[in-house]
Amino acid sequence: MINNQLKSEYVMIINTLWGGSLQCNSIENISEDVIRLIDEVLSKIRDGSTAMIGVHAVFEIFYNQTYSSWAKVIKAALDKADTHASDWIAVLRGNRQYRVVVNSAALGYKSPVQNALYKAAGFM
């Protein structure tokens, strides 16, 4: 089970990816389905931006260790460096070379994530 601190991180990731445009994005609506979809987006971003290793030492957390879930990566980032996954995404978006990786992953998952949030909020 994921705690509210980690759910809050997922809320920030969603806001960072979609600029606050997704409705029902709140801690109480971060369901297992939402987590699974965001984990897929994060994996696509990491896989597409692997060449970024070394740009900033803090981001070693996202590339140099294998974790069993993205929730564990996010928790490690919080515990080790008070770093948020949304910060990592923002840095990638700030680099012309990697912006397309983030935007492509976000575009492909916007509707499924919105639908999962609606479902968790009881609208579907």
Side-chain angles (χ1 to χ4, degrees):
M1 190 62 176
I2 189 167
N3 65 32
N4 282 344
Q5 181 184 21
L6 289 175
K7 286 182 178 186
S8 176
E9 292 295 311
Y10 278 92
V11 168
M12 288 192 320
I13 291 167
I14 291 168
N15 284 335
T16 300
L17 286 169
W18 293 289
S21 67
L22 296 188
Q23 298 175 1
C24 302
N25 182 28
S26 60
I27 291 172
E28 55 273 359
N29 295 328
I30 301 299
S31 65
E32 292 299 320
D33 196 31
V34 172
I35 291 169
R36 180 186 57 77
L37 290 166
I38 296 303
D39 289 355
E40 288 178 23
V41 173
L42 294 174
S43 293
K44 288 188 179 297
I45 291 169
R46 183 189 56 205
D47 294 347
S49 64
T50 302
M52 182 186 176
I53 295 174
V55 171
H56 195 283
V58 172
F59 298 118
E60 288 181 16
I61 295 164
F62 295 98
Y63 294 98
N64 289 339
Q65 286 188 318
T66 303
Y67 292 90
S68 61
S69 71
W70 273 98
K72 290 183 180 178
V73 175
I74 293 165
K75 181 161 181 9
L78 285 171
D79 291 347
K80 290 181 183 178
D82 195 28
T83 300
H84 304 277
S86 55
D87 297 334
W88 169 60
I89 294 165
V91 167
L92 289 173
R93 274 213 168 121
N95 183 309
R96 187 169 46 122
Q97 183 177 356
Y98 298 106
R99 185 177 307 131
V100 69
V101 173
V102 175
N103 291 344
S104 294
L107 180 64
Y109 281 84
K110 185 175 183 176
S111 291
V113 171
Q114 179 64 84
N115 288 338
L117 288 167
Y118 280 151
K119 185 176 179 182
F123 292 128
M124 293 180 74

